[in-house]
Amino acid sequence: MKYAMKLLSILIISLLFFFSAAPAMDQESAQKRIQALSAEITRHDYLYYVLGKPEISDQEYDQLFDELVRLEKEFPDLALPDSPTKRVGSELDNTFLQVPHAVPMLSLEKCYSLEELVAWTERTEEKAGEKLSFVAEEKIDGAAIELTYHKGMLVRASTRGNGQKGYDITDNARTVRTIPLKLKQPVSVTVRGEVFVRKSDFAKLTNKKGLNYDSPRNLAAGALRRKHSSEAAEIPLDIFVFEAVSDDMDDLANHADALAWLNKLGFKTNPNNRTFRNIHKLKAYIEEIGSRTEVLDYEIDGAVVKVNQRNIRKVLGHTERFPKWAIAYKFRSPENETVVQDIDVQIGRHGRVTPVAKLHPVRIGSASIARATLHNQDYINMLELAIGDTVKVSRRGKVIPAVEHVLEKNMAGNETWQMPIHCPACKTPLQREGKHHFCPNFDCPDQIRGRLIYFSKKMGIKYLGPKTIEMLISQKRIQHPEDIYTLTNEEMNRLRGFGEKKINAFMTSLEQSKTKPLQEVLAALGIRELGPRAIENLTEAGFDSVDKLLGADISTLTQVKGIGEITAQNILDGLNPQMRKTIKALRKSGLSFQTEPPAVLPGDTQKHD
Ligand code: IVH
């Protein structure tokens, strides 16, 4: 059989070669040949990348590919939308439009022990009212992606974004050889998966100069967000697809069937997925997954256990953040030891004081760690941590560096570190509220800087990053967000590193930021308790103008979903005289403060700037 296939391939190649050698070609035969070549290359891509069973040599493949490139150049109108040549990317700028997810991209509930995991399966069976089967999957540590196919054609790929809307990265996704551009059946389906870089490829790439990613996951995520898809094409990305949403799936009773169906459509699913009825066997398999992380050529940070029965999934539903039919079992994070050289305090834009450990740099996993948050005084007391102590440091969830515990006390006799009495930035006495200390001075220079940096970033103001903001603050030129809108060309010209081009880009983005909707401006002002969700609830409850918000009192605010008395009071405290002054001045500068136009319809795109 294998030989028959090989013979057939050789025959096809010879025929294609024969045709390609023919002189000047008419439209019709060019079309036929482009179609044949596209189909043939796509088949070989699938054999090589998805099944790992190539039928032809690299040389033979290159010959086919080069010929297709040549023909498409000669007859650009005849190139197919799913042409395999699209996989090499282009030099065109990606626009990264924001696109809504058909179904929100939720995260997963987490547990850290097998006991918790078993308890979850028992609780879930109880809720379902029947014995269930569960699918165990590896939790791939890569970049989440959503792929949308219309009648079998890949029409969109997007990142997770905020779970509701992601960024359109279709051109970059096309460069991933294991993402089918066309499915084997003309179905319309949306799938979710994880794009990743193999450990071996990461090692090879980091040996080359110029690559500045600390982990395969960050490299994968970075590749998907490259401005030019031709650059994304240079990173060897792979994918495992693990969930699907489609109308054509109603006859699939189980998740395992859905995975098999996805496989049949041409997607790459993880061969290590297993279904269990017996919880002991499930537990043993999860342990097995945990024991073989080192031998896998891709990074995993846990296992995912999912209810197999699709009808039960519907019954279980989901919370605001995660589905109730799945749970992630997270492995313990990698660790190392180092010495705490000092403890700094950082003042956030809301005045919250966070102690941060300055560490003797140490490698954890594939990253070098020099700082770790210590959260608050309680956390430091719990650790009994003093400067000079040797500590165990981990990267929780493989990302956030954390000081886990003290291994050896310092020899200098340093006692457990204590929060300073005064704010190191403005000398105002710190106040304790719950677990945290706060600097109560709204005009504290660190808070001012924090607010300006946050505002500039959220408003998409170009070239107004932390360094420039610090320069302008030290010149006493800016203090509040409204001051940014009074900056002139001449003033910017006096700043180091600001030439005409940069100033123009800055000024243009400043103008563009004025059209941001109320929700985004409010979020950028960073008023305490007014995060994206609260803002959404407020606008949904009819607070569609900033005047309504400025005129609100406790009783009107507490009528809004999710806002209790304490939150309402905090919001009103946040709308202090200076903040009100800022809002008025921003409006004078031309910011619209209007709510966003009606929600984007699925399929529509919204410009992200
Ligand atoms: S299922 C509704 N399965 O983990 C939840 N997720 O923490 C659908 N992930 O955003 C996700 N491997 O990007 C699922 N086998 C797997 C996974 C997996 C990795 C990622 C995924 C998700 C995140 C949740």
Side-chain angles (χ1 to χ4, degrees):
M1 185 65 193
K2 204 172 152 207
Y3 288 108
M5 290 303 285
K6 191 157 178 142
L7 266 175
L8 189 68
S9 294
I10 293 169
L11 188 70
I12 293 169
I13 293 165
S14 323
L15 276 173
L16 289 168
F17 188 74
F18 169 78
F19 277 116
S20 74
M25 191 181 306
D26 59 57
Q27 286 275 120
E28 206 186 313
S29 34
Q31 187 171 24
K32 272 194 193 142
R33 207 160 321 146
I34 284 176
Q35 282 170 353
L37 277 165
S38 298
E40 188 62 4
I41 295 169
T42 301
R43 194 173 76 83
H44 288 298
D45 275 344
Y46 179 73
L47 288 169
Y48 183 88
Y49 291 105
V50 179
L51 301 185
K53 291 180 185 152
E55 280 177 8
I56 57 174
S57 71
D58 288 0
Q59 239 177 346
E60 288 165 318
Y61 179 90
D62 289 347
Q63 239 172 26
L64 293 177
F65 202 90
D66 292 346
E67 192 193 346
L68 182 59
V69 171
R70 249 194 346 263
L71 275 175
E72 285 183 350
K73 218 172 181 179
E74 201 178 326
F75 300 92
D77 296 344
L78 299 180
L80 298 175
D82 60 327
S83 167
T85 58
K86 293 242 162 67
R87 299 222 187 253
V88 294
S90 85
E91 303 290 325
L92 296 176
D93 276 3
N94 265 314
T95 45
F96 298 129
L97 298 173
Q98 228 179 12
V99 288
H101 296 301
V103 177
M105 259 173 112
L106 303 175
S107 69
L108 289 166
E109 185 180 356
K110 296 177 188 68
C111 70
Y112 293 88
S113 72
L114 288 171
E115 290 71 42
E116 284 174 86
L117 180 69
V118 171
W120 176 85
T121 60
E122 286 166 356
R123 268 200 320 274
T124 308
E125 287 190 328
E126 212 167 286
K127 277 191 229 154
E130 63 181 83
K131 186 103 188 65
L132 298 172
S133 57
F134 294 94
V135 177
E137 300 178 8
E138 290 165 339
K139 188 168 188 303
I140 314 298
D141 197 9
I145 195 168
E146 176 176 278
L147 303 170
T148 305
Y149 291 82
H150 182 67
K151 296 190 178 150
M153 303 298 280
L154 174 67
V155 289
R156 181 182 288 165
S158 56
T159 61
R160 180 169 188 273
N162 64 5
Q164 306 291 330
K165 291 181 198 164
Y167 292 105
D168 188 328
I169 46 147
T170 314
D171 288 343
N172 289 350
R174 281 205 180 95
T175 69
V176 183
R177 306 277 166 161
T178 37
I179 292 182
L181 303 178
K182 185 180 177 184
L183 302 179
K184 292 182 192 286
Q185 289 164 28
V187 289
S188 296
V189 64
T190 295
V191 301
R192 306 258 161 94
E194 201 85 352
V195 168
F196 60 93
V197 172
R198 288 180 185 283
K199 290 185 202 167
S200 51
D201 286 327
F202 181 74
K204 270 185 237 156
L205 285 166
T206 40
N207 283 339
K208 280 194 203 161
K209 269 208 297 240
L211 249 174
N212 198 15
Y213 285 95
D214 62 2
S215 64
R217 188 251 308 271
N218 288 348
L219 176 59
L224 290 181
R225 288 166 180 75
R226 286 286 163 96
K227 193 90 186 136
H228 302 139
S229 52
S230 53
E231 292 166 29
E234 282 170 24
I235 312 294
L237 297 169
D238 202 344
I239 190 173
F240 279 133
V241 168
F242 41 66
E243 286 294 326
V245 200
S246 163
D247 294 339
D248 307 349
M249 287 169 64
D250 284 350
D251 54 331
L252 299 173
N254 295 323
H255 177 57
D257 302 334
L259 288 170
W261 178 66
L262 288 173
N263 219 228
K264 258 211 242 147
L265 289 176
F267 291 108
K268 187 165 166 183
T269 54
N270 190 335
N272 294 335
N273 298 336
R274 296 272 184 288
T275 311
F276 294 93
R277 268 170 207 294
N278 180 315
I279 301 298
H280 295 294
K281 288 190 181 155
L282 170 74
K283 214 169 116 180
Y285 187 61
I286 301 293
E287 277 175 328
E288 186 186 323
I289 290 180
S291 68
R292 60 166 187 237
T293 53
E294 293 307 315
V295 294
L296 289 177
D297 195 18
Y298 48 86
E299 294 211 315
I300 64 172
D301 59 346
V304 186
V305 173
K306 302 173 175 178
V307 169
N308 194 21
Q309 288 81 352
R310 288 168 37 82
N311 59 337
I312 301 289
R313 284 186 174 198
K314 279 207 188 113
V315 174
L316 292 168
H318 53 83
T319 71
E320 220 171 303
R321 287 182 32 236
F322 41 71
K324 293 187 189 164
W325 44 260
I327 191 161
Y329 166 77
K330 304 267 282 185
F331 301 146
R332 245 171 28 131
S333 311
E335 300 173 325
N336 207 340
E337 299 175 18
T338 188
V339 174
V340 175
Q341 292 177 320
D342 203 353
I343 296 177
D344 281 346
V345 287
Q346 278 179 355
I347 318 295
R349 61 198 162 86
H350 290 133
R352 191 203 275 183
V353 182
T354 311
V356 179
K358 276 173 76 177
L359 306 167
H360 182 78
V362 64
R363 285 202 83 73
I364 305 181
S366 36
S368 172
I369 304 296
R371 291 170 78 77
T373 177
L374 295 168
H375 307 287
N376 51 43
Q377 184 67 54
D378 285 356
Y379 188 75
I380 291 173
N381 292 348
M382 185 268 292
L383 297 172
E384 298 187 335
L385 178 68
I387 292 170
D389 289 356
T390 302
V391 290
K392 179 149 266 179
V393 190
S394 72
R395 289 183 77 198
R396 294 222 180 125
K398 289 212 181 161
V399 191
I400 304 156
V403 174
E404 295 292 348
H405 55 262
V406 173
L407 292 166
E408 230 175 275
K409 290 304 287 178
N410 67 90
M411 302 295 278
N414 293 336
E415 301 278 346
T416 299
W417 183 88
Q418 292 299 315
M419 191 66 81
I421 307 286
H422 296 101
C423 169
C426 70
K427 307 289 176 251
T428 307
L430 298 179
Q431 289 175 0
R432 187 165 176 155
E433 268 178 55
K435 283 184 175 180
H436 300 286
H437 284 76
F438 285 85
C439 166
N441 176 15
F442 190 75
D443 295 324
C444 168
D446 278 13
Q447 290 186 49
I448 287 176
R449 195 189 53 203
R451 282 198 297 271
L452 287 171
I453 293 172
Y454 187 76
F455 181 82
S456 172
K457 188 168 172 210
K458 289 279 161 189
M459 295 295 279
I461 303 172
K462 285 190 183 148
Y463 299 116
L464 195 64
K467 277 204 185 118
T468 311
I469 286 175
E470 259 166 50
M471 274 197 275
L472 289 163
I473 291 178
S474 67
Q475 295 172 2
K476 304 221 169 357
R477 183 55 192 85
I478 58 171
Q479 188 172 18
H480 302 298
E482 63 268 33
D483 303 330
I484 296 174
Y485 290 88
T486 65
L487 288 166
T488 63
N489 279 46
E490 294 79 63
E491 282 171 324
M492 295 309 283
N493 203 11
R494 266 180 256 136
L495 295 179
R496 244 204 8 239
F498 272 80
E500 199 186 322
K501 227 170 145 186
K502 216 163 155 181
I503 298 172
N504 283 343
F506 162 74
M507 286 294 173
T508 311
S509 68
L510 201 58
E511 273 315 301
Q512 276 170 356
S513 74
K514 293 182 182 173
T515 62
K516 291 245 179 212
L518 173 70
Q519 293 95 317
E520 287 185 43
V521 182
L522 275 184
L525 287 172
I527 300 163
R528 205 169 151 192
E529 306 268 14
L530 275 188
R533 186 156 302 155
I535 293 172
E536 200 179 308
N537 290 341
L538 276 169
T539 46
E540 269 171 16
F543 283 83
D544 52 2
S545 78
V546 74
D547 289 321
K548 284 196 187 153
L549 185 63
L550 294 177
D553 58 20
I554 293 259
S555 69
T556 45
L557 284 176
T558 46
Q559 281 164 27
V560 177
K561 189 173 114 192
I563 299 185
E565 278 200 14
I566 297 174
T567 311
Q569 190 54 54
N570 282 337
I571 293 174
L572 292 176
D573 289 349
L575 291 167
N576 58 24
Q578 175 54 50
M579 189 55 83
R580 288 169 189 266
K581 220 170 114 193
T582 293
I583 292 173
K584 284 194 189 120
L586 287 175
R587 197 147 51 173
K588 250 194 170 156
S589 293
L591 271 78
S592 83
F593 280 105
Q594 296 295 314
T595 45
E596 217 169 21
V600 195
L601 296 169
D604 278 348
T605 53
Q606 188 191 329
K607 180 106 180 86
H608 169 75
D609 43 22

